[in-house]
Amino acid sequence: MKKSSFITVLMAMMTMAVTPSFAQEEQGFKKFNVRGDFTENGFQWFHDAELLAAGDKEKSNAMTIGWGGIGTLWGRTALTVYVAEKRYTKEFLDKAEYFTVMAFDVEQSKVLNYMGTKSGRDGDKAQALGLHTAYTVNGTPYYTEASMVIECKIMYAAPFDPQYFKSDIPKRMYANFPAGIHSMYIGEVVNAWKK
């Protein structure tokens, strides 16, 4: 076998041997099972605000989210997020197959504040904060500064339909909400890492 052919085969074998969590482990993350090892209070976790990211290696965006749900659906471990119509991240979610939800330590609250008040249409928010974008084996963006990353494959996406609002709560919410009606994105949890 020629040396160049041998090197090509060796490189291919090395690439195949890499586990999905390899890149994350290089960043200090360890893979964990959300069903058995997720210790956060599901009723409080999103209320404390997390970061949602979607896109690819060409372009991505992230935003702070305070609404979401954790549980099971269609026999799968599921995570649901909600994004308003006029949010820049929605453009990425609508084209994506995957998204990530990231938690940050309390001392990194400036990340959540900035990501929640600035638009990616006006500039690269991650760059402005000095965050380092990395990608899962599926090509989903996340930030190496996060303390936890959950990657989801989108199973369902649809906007809320006002004709089905059964209480005044959503009616009042959207009466004067400039960002528009939210869409629901239900993702199967396919990977999870934490530091």
Side-chain angles (χ1 to χ4, degrees), residues 3-4 14 35 46 48 50 56 66 84 87 90 92 128-130 136 182:
K3 185 176 180 181
S4 62
M14 289 172 61
R35 282 194 180 211
F46 283 103
D48 292 338
E50 309 306 329
D56 56 32
R87 299 291 185 228
K90 186 175 186 310
F92 294 90
L129 288 166
T136 70
H182 283 77

Side-chain angles (χ1 to χ4, degrees), residues 15 18-27 29-31 53-58 60 96-102 132-144 146 148-154 188-194:
T15 302
V18 174
T19 63
S21 61
F22 181 77
Q24 287 72 25
E25 287 177 359
E26 283 184 339
Q27 306 298 336
F29 290 96
K30 298 292 180 195
K31 198 164 188 173
D56 56 32
K57 292 181 180 180
E58 296 296 318
S60 62
E97 187 176 355
Y98 297 89
F99 64 84
T100 55
V101 173
M102 295 167 274
H132 298 88
T133 307
Y135 302 89
T136 70
V137 72
N138 296 310
T140 316
Y142 71 97
Y143 301 125
T144 61
M148 182 188 309
V149 178
I150 298 177
E151 181 181 31
C152 299
K153 184 173 184 176
I154 299 172
E188 176 187 4
V189 175
V190 294
N191 285 302
W193 302 270
K194 62 182 173 181

Side-chain angles (χ1 to χ4, degrees), residues 56-81:
D56 56 32
K57 292 181 180 180
E58 296 296 318
K59 196 166 186 181
S60 62
N61 196 61
M63 64 177 279
T64 303
I65 55 172
W67 296 0
I70 301 168
T72 56
L73 182 64
W74 301 313
R76 301 287 189 260
T77 302
L79 191 147
T80 304
V81 295

Side-chain angles (χ1 to χ4, degrees), residues 122-178:
D122 301 327
D124 187 329
K125 297 190 288 185
Q127 185 179 33
L129 288 166
L131 297 177
H132 298 88
T133 307
Y135 302 89
T136 70
V137 72
N138 296 310
T140 316
Y142 71 97
Y143 301 125
T144 61
E145 291 78 9
S147 58
M148 182 188 309
V149 178
I150 298 177
E151 181 181 31
C152 299
K153 184 173 184 176
I154 299 172
M155 297 189 291
Y156 179 84
F160 287 139
D161 187 335
Q163 72 175 322
Y164 296 111
F165 290 161
K166 301 296 183 187
S167 85
D168 286 340
I169 294 171
K171 292 174 187 174
R172 286 195 307 264
M173 167 73 197
Y174 294 111
N176 293 301
F177 190 68

